[in-house]
Amino acid sequence: MSYESWILIVGSLAGVTCGITGCFLILRKLSMLADAISHTVLLGIVLAFIVSQSMSGIYMLIGAVVVGLLTAVGVQMLHHAGIQEDASIGVVFTFLFAVGVILITVFADDVHLDVDHALMGEITFVPWDLVQWGFLPELPKAFLMLSTVLVINLVIIGLFYKELKITSFDPQMAAAIGLPVLLIHYLLMGLVSITTVASFDSVGAILVVAMLIAPGASAYLLTNKLSIMLLLSALIGVSAAVIGYYLASWLDVSISGSMATVNGIIFALVFLFSPTKGLLSRKFTMKKLKMD
Amino acid sequence: MNDLLRMILLDANTQWVLIGTMLLGIASGVLGGIALLRKQSLIGDAVAHAALPGICIAFLLSGEKSLFVLLIGATITGLLAAYSIQFIISSSIIKEDAAICLVLSVFFGFGIVLLTKVSQTPSGNKSGLDDFIFGQAASLVGNDVKLMAGAAAVLIFITALIFKELKVLTFDPSFAKGLGLPTGLLNFLFLSLLVAAVVVGIQAVGVILMAALLITPAIAARYWTNSLSKMIVISGIFGALSGMAGTLISTLGEGLPTGPFIVVTATALFLISMLFAPERGLVTKWIKRIANNKQLRNNKLLQGEKRSGYHEL
C-alpha cells in the first residue's frame, strides 16, 4: 500500500476510535479527566520503557492503562478528601506529567522518545515503523495498535452498551438498580487510556484530546440519540482526519495539528448552524416566539 | 555541593532569575487562589495552551523574537480562548469541562500548525520558541528576566488594588451587582490578570505545566485557613517557594527543565498541607478522631460502671 494511504488509514482509525470513546466522556462530563489522562500516559510510557527496556506496544499499553487508572483513582481520592473536582484533576495530572518529563530528561540517552514527539506526534513516520505480529505480514505498528484498540473498544461498548448508557444519563438510577457505577467508570477510564496510548504515536498527547472531545461535542449538538451520536462522532472523526491530512500536505504543515484544527472548524460550523441546537437556529426560534 | 550552590547563588543572572520566578510564584499563587474559589482553575490551563498560537502569530507577523511582542500575541489569543469558553458554555448545551477541553486542544493544535510554519521561515529557527512548551527559566537572560519580574510585580499590585471588589464578586456575584459594581468589567479585568500571569509564566514553566502554578499552591493554601485574604497570602508564599526551589534544582544539572521541578515542589507542599495542616489536615483529623473515640469510650465506661454499681445495690 502507498505511503499516503497508510497515513489516511491510521488517521481515520484514530478518528473513529477517539470519536466513539469521546461521546461517553462528553455525556459524563469527564472531558477534563481525559485531558489529564492524555498527559499522564507519558509517564506510563516512560515507566514501561524503564522497566522493560523495550518500546514494544504491549508494554506501552500496560504502562498506559496502569498510569491512566492511577490518574483516575488519584483524582477520585482527592475529590473524596474534599477538593473540588477541577482542582484535583489539575493537581494530579500536572504532577504526574512533571514526573514523566523529569524522567525523560534524566534517562534521555536511553529513551528513544523525545518530548516533542510525545506531544505533537509524528504521523509522517508511521508508514515506516513496521512490525511483524504472528502470521500477519509486516504492517505499521500504529495501524496494528489502533485496530486492536478499536476492536477492544467496540467489543466492550457493545457488551456494556446498556450499562454505559444508563450510568451516563442517570447515575443515581443506575446505582439504585444495582449497577456497579464505579467499576464502569474505571472501565471507561481504561478504554480512554489505551485509546490515548494507541493514538499517541500518530497524533500526540494533546491533539488526541481534540480528537476525543471535538467530534463528540459536534455530534452532541446534532442529535438527541446516543446511537446516532456515536455514529456521527465516528464519521466526524474520520472526515476531520482526512480533510486535515490533505490540508496539511497542501499547506506543508504539521498533520496532527491540522487535524485538530479541522476538528475545531467542524465544531464551530455545527455550533453556528446545527438545525436544532445551533446558535443561529436558536436565535431564529427566539425571534419567531417574540413575534408571536 | 555547597560550593556549587554558593556559586549559583552569587551569580548575578541567577539572582535575577530567582527574583523573577519568586515574583511569578506570588502572582500566580494569588490569582490562582481567586480562580480556585471562582471554580475557574482549569481556565488557566486552557489559556496557557492557547498562548501557543498567539506566540507563533506574533513571531510570523513581526519576524523577530522580541519577548514583549510575543507576550502580546499570547495575551490576545489567551483572552480569546477564555472568552470562547465562556461563550460556548453560555450559548449552547455543551458543558464547561467539554468546552474547556475543546478550546484548549483546538487552539494548541492550531499553535502546532503555526509552529511548523515558523520553523520553515529563514529566521525562525524554532529552538527558541520550543522553550515555551516546557519553560527554561535558567537560560533566561538580562532584559527578559527583568520584564518577567516587572510584569509579575505589576500584576501583584493591580490585584491588591481591586482585591475588595474581586472578593465580593467571587463570593456573592448578585450582591456585587446589587452594589452597582461593574461585574462585566471586573470579570474582564480578572480574566486579563489571569491571562497575563499565565503568559508571563510560560517562559519559565512552559505552557503545559503553567496550570499547576495556578492550582496547586492555591489548593495547598486552602487547607490552612478559611479567610480569603490569609489564603491568598499563603498561596503566594507557596508559589514563591516552589518557583525558587524549582529554579535552583534545574540550575544544578545540565539541560534540566525548570517547569517540572517547580510543579513537583508545589505538589510536595500540597501533600504536606493535605496531611499535616492544623484543623483540616488528614493526619491531624485522624489524631483528633482517635482522641475523640477514646474520650467517648471513657465516658461510656464510666456510665457502664455507674449502671453496674446501681445493679449491685
Side-chain angles (χ1 to χ4, degrees), chain A residues 10-11 13-15 17-18 41 45 57 60-62 64-65 121 123 126 133 140-153 190-205 208 211:
Chain A
V10 168
L13 270 175
T17 320
C18 293
V41 153
I45 289 178
M60 273 167 55
L61 282 181
I62 295 173
V65 172
I123 203 168
V126 159
W133 273 10
K141 187 171 140 198
F143 169 74
L144 286 172
M145 274 174 80
L146 274 170
S147 24
T148 317
V149 168
L150 178 61
V151 172
I152 296 176
N153 281 356
L191 288 189
V192 172
S193 311
I194 56 173
T195 308
T196 311
V197 78
S199 324
F200 215 72
D201 256 358
S202 19
V203 289
V208 89
M211 300 192 101

Side-chain angles (χ1 to χ4, degrees), chain A residues 25-26 28-32 35 39 78 81 83-84 86-87 89-91 93-95 97-99 101-102 105-106 115-116 119-120 206-207 209-210 213-214 217 220-221 251-254 256-258 260-261 263-265 267 271 277 279 282, chain B residues 35-37 39-42 45 49 87-88 90-95 97-98 100-102 104-106 108-110 112-113 115-117 120 126 130 133-134 208-209 211-212 215-216 219 223 255-257 259-261 263-264 267 270 274 282:
Chain A
L25 297 172
I26 304 255
R28 301 172 149 238
K29 307 185 188 78
L30 289 175
S31 318
M32 282 319 291
D35 179 44
H39 285 75
L78 288 187
I83 297 174
Q84 60 198 49
D86 57 338
I89 291 175
V91 170
F93 97 79
T94 49
F95 172 66
F97 186 75
V99 173
V101 174
I102 291 175
T105 42
V106 172
V115 183
D116 286 2
L119 285 178
M120 303 172 201
I206 293 169
L207 304 178
V209 180
I213 302 303
Y220 188 46
L221 289 180
L251 294 172
D252 190 20
V253 289
S254 152
S256 48
S258 101
T261 313
N263 262 318
I265 295 172
F267 175 79
F271 179 77
K277 302 178 193 172
L279 193 65
R282 272 159 69 143
Chain B
L36 178 77
L37 295 174
K39 303 207 164 59
Q40 290 182 331
S41 297
L42 288 172
D45 191 28
H49 283 77
F87 182 63
I88 290 177
S90 66
S91 57
S92 80
I93 50 167
I94 303 276
K95 308 288 182 306
D97 62 316
I100 293 178
C101 231
L102 184 85
L104 174 159
S105 53
V106 169
F108 192 79
F110 187 54
I112 287 188
V113 166
L115 199 62
T116 40
K117 263 276 162 266
Q120 288 159 9
K126 80 172 184 160
D130 249 11
I133 292 182
F134 285 111
I208 294 167
L209 291 172
I215 300 172
T216 314
I219 278 283
Y223 273 95
L256 291 180
F261 285 103
V263 174
V264 170
T267 314
F270 159 72
M274 185 168 96
L282 292 183

Side-chain angles (χ1 to χ4, degrees), chain B residues 51-69:
Chain B
L52 189 65
I55 291 173
C56 296
I57 292 174
F59 180 82
L60 285 173
L61 288 182
S62 71
E64 53 179 334
K65 225 170 63 191
S66 139
L67 186 64
F68 189 65
V69 178

Side-chain angles (χ1 to χ4, degrees), chain B residues 71-140:
Chain B
L71 292 189
I72 288 179
T75 312
I76 292 173
T77 46
L79 267 179
L80 191 68
Y83 268 96
S84 315
I85 292 171
Q86 293 192 340
F87 182 63
I88 290 177
I89 299 170
S90 66
S91 57
S92 80
I93 50 167
I94 303 276
K95 308 288 182 306
E96 186 174 18
D97 62 316
I100 293 178
C101 231
L102 184 85
V103 168
L104 174 159
S105 53
V106 169
F107 270 72
F108 192 79
F110 187 54
I112 287 188
V113 166
L114 291 173
L115 199 62
T116 40
K117 263 276 162 266
V118 167
S119 65
Q120 288 159 9
T121 60
S123 56
N125 193 327
K126 80 172 184 160
S127 58
L129 293 189
D130 249 11
D131 274 349
F132 282 104
I133 292 182
F134 285 111
Q136 194 49 277
S139 69
L140 289 177

